[in-house]
Amino acid sequence: MTTENAELTTEEVLRRDIPWETYMTTKLITGTGLQLLRRYDKKAESYKAQLLDDDGPGYVRVFVTILRDIFKEETVEYVLALIDEMLTGIQLFYCPLLLEESIEFIGHNDQKLSIRLLWKGNWFIQEKSCKILSLTVSARSKVQNGADANGDASSSKKKITTIDDVLAGVVEWLCAQLKKPTHPTRSIPSTINCLSTLLKEPVVRSSFVRADGVKLLVPLISPASTQQSIQLLYETCLCVWLLSYYEPAIEYLATSRALPRLIEVVKGSTKEKVVRVVILTLRNLLSKGTFSAHMVDLGVLQIVQSLKAQAWSDEDLLDALNQLEQGLKENIKKLSSFDKYKQEVLLGHLDWSPMHKDPIFWRENINNFEENDFQILRVLITILDTSSDARTLAVACYDLSQFIQCHSAGRIIVNDLKAKERVMRLLNHENAEVTKNALLCIQRLFLGAKYASFLQA
């Protein structure tokens, strides 16, 4: 695909003079079409709006006929710019009749036209075609809702569902852009912007998942700093939020790194709209599969509690934070005793809950400490360096001493993980509870298992 004319702007294109009379002479447009174009072209915005009020469908038909029958790039670019201006700058959304007629004509008569422009045109043509399609699809939902409310759902449905056949081809093009962008800087933002609109459509969600598009979004979930990258991040997260309502997409998200990436974003973002869409996504995923357990493991509860302490103006965000916090707390209650213990360690806040001094807990769960190359034991040892909370340090020392006593290779493992020096430093801690449990840990570390079992906290 060529990137020729990639830097064109709508304003530059609309300054062109198009030889409409020549096209009528060659019978590429009709006499009626020429009259409409003469009235409309190069006129003030307010005058164009009045013309659309009077005969909007007529103008749309002329524009789409030109796109279908004329292949000269300069003319195609010009008409796409006129349609873009009509959709975004004048009053299409304020004229339901024009909207319905426009959708019917574009969707029913020229389904393949939009796909041809996406794949064959230069970047300006591709970008405008994609934007126009997205706006049209977005607007048809509003028309459908209005028709349902007015009791005309049956006839309206026939008009507005024909464009569904186009959307699979559009999704294919969007996925191709994510894999191999046509434009070095604008392809990805434009594609994500269109997806954030189109993924509201069930048929697009289905096509996007079938095209393996979910995995193409995940790398774009990354903390951002510039205004442009923040907008891209927001729209990417918006896409994930829309997909979180679709079960097949959730299955893809569960097997990707989407969750840890979303958590990194929400931890580092100060933009309320970004935090909002991520939290709403996490709330949607909370009850799905193993997402809740993973959120617990990744410390989402602590993050949510930290976010709640900040001043947010968005009521939806505040509600979602409360719901997420409540859901995570309920999930923690349901977890097994070792899962509870693991969550406590991963959060880095230890207290004298019953399991720490329960010999049955240690006997039944000692082998669980070997999971993920002794991950929980390693975190426990790290806490000795990083925590400033006396109670946490005391409990961590006690738990290490319990591991040494209960695991057949406890002394060797703890020594290999360089825990001895860290515990030794705590022997001089100002808190008596810390020094007492640090001493117990050192004694069990130096004594054999035969004698260590006689030492009690």
Side-chain angles (χ1 to χ4, degrees):
M1 295 181 193
T2 178
T3 57
E4 188 181 85
N5 292 345
E7 307 307 325
L8 275 176
T9 66
T10 300
E11 292 74 19
E12 289 171 340
V13 170
L14 290 176
R15 282 199 289 268
R16 293 174 182 167
D17 290 313
I18 304 298
W20 301 122
E21 290 80 3
T22 302
Y23 287 128
M24 192 197 74
T25 303
T26 55
K27 299 185 178 180
L28 289 171
I29 59 175
T30 65
T32 302
L34 178 63
Q35 288 181 347
L36 289 171
L37 288 165
R38 281 174 171 169
R39 288 181 202 152
Y40 190 89
D41 196 18
K42 307 296 183 187
K43 298 300 190 293
E45 186 173 297
S46 58
Y47 185 71
K48 290 179 180 178
Q50 185 59 52
L51 292 175
L52 290 173
D53 270 343
D54 295 340
D55 188 17
Y59 286 97
V60 172
R61 289 189 179 94
V62 170
F63 295 154
V64 178
T65 299
I66 292 170
L67 293 177
R68 184 188 62 206
D69 296 337
I70 296 175
F71 292 85
K72 188 175 178 61
E73 277 195 350
E74 288 81 357
T75 304
V76 171
E77 290 166 355
Y78 191 87
V79 173
L80 286 172
L82 284 177
I83 296 174
D84 181 29
E85 177 189 60
M86 179 178 68
L87 288 171
T88 59
I90 303 180
Q91 61 173 27
L92 184 60
F93 292 107
Y94 303 103
C95 185
L97 174 62
L98 173 58
L99 181 56
E100 289 189 43
E101 293 293 335
S102 302
I103 292 168
E104 180 181 16
F105 190 77
I106 295 172
H108 183 66
N109 294 339
D110 288 275
Q111 291 177 8
K112 294 181 181 179
L113 170 62
S114 54
I115 304 302
R116 171 171 64 79
L117 294 175
L118 283 174
W119 287 102
K120 301 297 183 183
N122 59 39
W123 174 248
F124 182 89
I125 292 173
Q126 291 175 359
E127 187 175 37
K128 288 298 181 194
S129 299
C130 190
K131 179 183 177 184
I132 289 166
L133 271 168
S134 299
L135 289 170
T136 305
V137 171
S138 175
R140 76 167 186 159
S141 298
K142 298 176 184 177
V143 171
Q144 185 175 22
N145 292 338
D148 291 344
N150 293 326
D152 298 325
S154 178
S155 60
S156 179
K157 185 176 181 181
K158 293 176 183 177
K159 292 179 180 179
I160 64 181
T161 55
T162 52
I163 201 171
D164 285 357
D165 297 329
V166 177
L167 293 177
V170 177
V171 169
E172 183 184 354
W173 182 81
L174 291 169
C175 288
Q177 290 297 311
L178 291 174
K179 290 175 185 174
K180 190 176 180 181
T182 302
H183 190 279
T185 59
R186 284 162 53 179
S187 281
I188 299 297
S190 294
T191 297
I192 295 298
N193 178 263
C194 289
L195 277 171
S196 67
T197 297
L198 292 174
L199 282 170
K200 297 170 186 175
E201 296 290 312
V203 66
V204 175
R205 294 178 194 174
S206 175
S207 297
F208 189 67
V209 170
R210 286 200 306 272
D212 212 13
V214 178
K215 73 176 185 182
L216 302 174
L217 286 179
V218 174
L220 300 176
I221 307 171
S222 181
S225 54
T226 66
Q227 188 61 42
Q228 187 175 11
S229 61
I230 288 171
Q231 184 61 24
L232 175 61
L233 172 62
Y234 167 69
E235 291 178 351
T236 302
C237 292
L238 186 60
C239 290
V240 177
W241 173 68
L242 290 167
L243 289 168
S244 71
Y245 288 95
Y246 184 56
E247 289 295 335
I250 292 171
E251 294 174 13
Y252 274 75
L253 292 172
T255 58
S256 71
R257 284 192 48 78
L259 182 60
R261 282 180 170 271
L262 286 170
I263 292 168
E264 283 303 308
V265 165
V266 82
K267 281 167 63 177
S269 181
T270 56
K271 278 286 182 180
E272 185 165 325
K273 67 178 184 179
V274 175
V275 174
R276 177 181 182 271
V277 75
V278 172
I279 292 298
L280 290 173
T281 303
L282 295 180
R283 184 191 63 183
N284 285 357
L285 296 175
L286 183 64
S287 62
K288 307 297 183 181
T290 59
F291 275 106
S292 182
H294 290 161
M295 288 184 202
V296 170
D297 287 345
L298 292 168
V300 174
L301 179 59
Q302 187 179 18
I303 295 167
V304 167
Q305 290 170 338
S306 174
L307 288 171
K308 284 185 66 178
Q310 300 179 37
W312 304 106
S313 59
D314 191 303
E315 290 296 330
D316 288 340
L317 172 56
L318 295 172
D319 289 344
L321 285 169
N322 287 329
Q323 292 169 22
L324 194 53
E325 180 185 35
Q326 185 62 32
L328 287 167
K329 285 181 176 179
E330 289 175 1
N331 182 264
I332 289 172
K333 290 177 185 177
K334 296 174 185 176
L335 295 173
S336 72
S337 58
F338 187 72
D339 286 327
K340 289 181 182 179
Y341 177 81
K342 186 164 69 171
Q343 172 60 17
E344 193 176 319
V345 173
L346 290 173
L347 287 174
H349 299 293
L350 306 178
D351 207 346
W352 290 116
S353 52
M355 68 183 111
H356 294 280
K357 295 193 176 185
D358 180 3
I360 298 175
F361 167 81
W362 288 98
R363 185 167 61 248
E364 292 181 349
N365 291 288
I366 193 64
N367 291 330
N368 291 332
F369 282 84
E370 298 178 8
E371 293 175 0
N372 299 320
D373 193 25
F374 295 94
Q375 179 201 21
I376 294 303
L377 190 65
R378 292 174 186 273
V379 175
L380 202 59
I381 293 169
T382 301
I383 286 172
L384 299 178
D385 279 336
T386 59
S387 180
S388 58
D389 178 67
R391 179 61 57 83
T392 294
L393 292 171
V395 176
C397 287
Y398 180 81
D399 287 0
L400 278 176
S401 73
Q402 287 292 84
F403 177 82
I404 294 165
Q405 178 179 330
C406 298
H407 196 284
S408 58
R411 292 173 67 205
I412 297 170
I413 294 166
V414 171
N415 270 317
D416 285 348
L417 294 177
K418 313 296 183 189
K420 183 176 71 174
E421 296 81 1
R422 292 163 176 165
V423 178
M424 292 281 285
R425 287 198 294 269
L426 294 176
L427 290 173
N428 296 318
H429 197 277
E430 60 186 15
N431 183 277
E433 188 181 30
V434 175
T435 57
K436 172 187 173 182
N437 286 284
L439 178 60
L440 175 66
C441 185
I442 291 297
Q443 287 172 332
R444 287 181 172 171
L445 195 57
F446 280 108
L447 293 173
K450 178 180 176 181
Y451 300 102
S453 61
F454 290 101
L455 293 171
Q456 301 296 322

